[in-house]
Amino acid sequence: MPKHSQHRRRGKYALDADDIDWLENTPEADDGPPEGDRWSTWDQSTPLEKGPRPYPDWLVTDLAAVDTEHGVLKTGKEADVHLISRGVPGTDRVCLLAAKRYRSFEHRLFHRDSGYLEGRRTRDDRTNRAMAGRTAFGRQAIAAQWAVAEFEALCRLRGLGMPVPYPVQIVGTEILQEFIGTPDGYAAPRLAQVTDDLDDLWEQLVDAMVTLAREGLAHGDLSPYNLLVHQDRLVIIDLPQIVDVIAHPSGPSYLDRDARNVATWFAAKGVTAADPDALAVLLRRESRIPV
């Protein structure tokens, strides 16, 4: 038995020179997980950086769990989404997660950030100036704001019963969330790829958009490409640009654009109830914006 183990039996802090030498000369690989790519990051997030309680039964929160990478699910201008399995080695406790990682500022293209970030100021004037000037530090702060905004939106909408993935946790600019797909890792199709049950999916979408509008919110970039269909259920994804339609000076225009984008698509697919103008009027009324 290593000497450090003997000392730990005598007392929690019983370390001597031999223990310190053993720790300093132990290869870093010994601290890595027995399998997988990294230890679970669950304990790296504070309670406010974790999803709403109660945690779902399927979620693995054991500190002995490890995360294993399984490839990229989706690439985008601002972030990439990776498939991860989080499991406890030697057991059948495992869950699939989607890890959305906002890119470092050198490789990111926030082509619309000035419009969406209007009004999202921090309490630190230096950070606000850096963000406005798009310095290296400012762009990194912008990335953090996008990640935080999306995580907070997921938590809020989940609490409203909205059809969004469960937000597991946020660590820096990485958001871990529920994987929407099959147990063997096949992602649910986007709405743009679906041709069946469109009338029912349209009704689901209108209900979700009305719930958002009543909260004074708009998705901000809604389209058939950030809506998933899983087991006949519509799921809304990609929420970093969610807009407060009352506080944001261009809020109503984002609301109208969301309505136009999705209703036009459904109408082109033969859904007779889909009317861009009628949906825009409905959403403005529900959000108490003058029509």
Side-chain angles (χ1 to χ4, degrees):
M1 177 184 296
K3 194 177 191 310
H4 78 287
S5 298
Q6 296 172 357
H7 279 277
R8 284 187 178 276
R9 287 191 174 188
R10 292 203 304 267
K12 185 176 180 181
Y13 301 105
L15 291 175
D16 60 16
D18 290 333
D19 289 307
I20 295 172
D21 180 70
W22 182 86
L23 289 170
E24 289 180 344
N25 290 284
T26 299
E28 290 185 4
D30 290 349
D31 293 330
E35 57 187 62
D37 296 289
R38 68 183 186 189
W39 290 109
S40 165
T41 58
W42 180 251
D43 63 338
Q44 295 181 26
S45 299
T46 68
L48 293 178
E49 295 171 331
K50 294 176 181 177
R53 289 177 177 270
Y55 302 136
D57 293 337
W58 55 263
L59 179 60
V60 175
T61 60
D62 307 57
L63 297 185
V66 298
D67 293 344
T68 303
E69 301 270 347
H70 297 287
V72 177
L73 292 170
K74 177 186 175 183
T75 60
K77 295 182 177 66
E78 295 89 14
D80 296 324
V81 182
H82 300 251
L83 177 64
I84 286 180
S85 61
R86 173 170 289 178
V88 180
T91 75
D92 60 357
R93 288 187 48 73
V94 64
C95 66
L96 291 178
L97 304 175
K100 186 169 186 177
R101 296 168 182 163
Y102 284 89
R103 296 202 186 108
S104 62
F105 63 83
E106 299 96 337
H107 304 101
R108 186 184 302 114
L109 176 59
F110 285 111
H111 61 304
R112 300 182 304 271
D113 66 352
S114 59
Y116 287 113
L117 289 172
E118 187 169 353
R120 288 189 194 171
R121 295 174 58 84
T122 72
R123 296 180 179 179
D124 184 81
D125 289 338
R126 184 176 72 92
T127 300
N128 290 328
R129 289 194 298 269
M131 290 169 58
R134 297 302 190 270
T135 65
F137 170 73
R139 283 179 288 175
Q140 191 64 24
I142 289 173
Q145 281 215 354
W146 281 76
V148 169
E150 179 160 25
F151 184 75
E152 290 179 345
L154 286 169
C155 290
R156 180 177 179 179
L157 299 188
R158 187 78 180 194
L160 294 172
M162 291 278 293
V164 297
Y166 178 79
V168 173
Q169 66 181 115
I170 181 172
V171 183
T173 55
E174 177 185 74
I175 298 174
L176 290 167
Q177 55 192 293
E178 174 186 6
F179 169 69
I180 306 299
T182 64
D184 52 354
Y186 286 92
R190 300 175 187 178
L191 175 62
Q193 302 169 286
V194 175
T195 57
D196 298 327
D197 302 319
L198 293 182
D199 289 287
D200 180 61
L201 293 173
W202 166 252
E203 292 180 5
Q204 291 184 43
L205 180 57
V206 172
D207 288 344
M209 295 180 75
V210 165
T211 300
L212 270 177
R214 287 174 179 168
E215 290 294 310
L217 300 172
H219 182 284
D221 193 29
L222 198 59
S223 79
Y225 294 94
N226 47 34
L227 293 164
L228 304 181
V229 180
H230 182 56
Q231 298 177 346
D232 301 322
R233 181 175 66 101
L234 202 67
V235 181
I236 303 172
I237 60 171
D238 293 340
L239 290 153
Q241 69 290 311
I242 194 165
V243 175
D244 184 323
V245 297
I246 306 301
H248 196 291
S250 300
S253 66
Y254 286 112
L255 198 69
D256 293 343
R257 188 175 69 181
D258 281 353
R260 183 175 63 253
N261 286 348
V262 294
T264 299
W265 185 87
F266 274 98
K269 297 296 181 180
V271 177
T272 56
D275 183 317
D277 294 331
L279 180 58
V281 169
L282 172 63
L283 296 180
R284 280 181 172 245
R285 285 175 175 166
E286 294 294 339
S287 59
R288 299 173 295 282
I289 294 175
V291 177

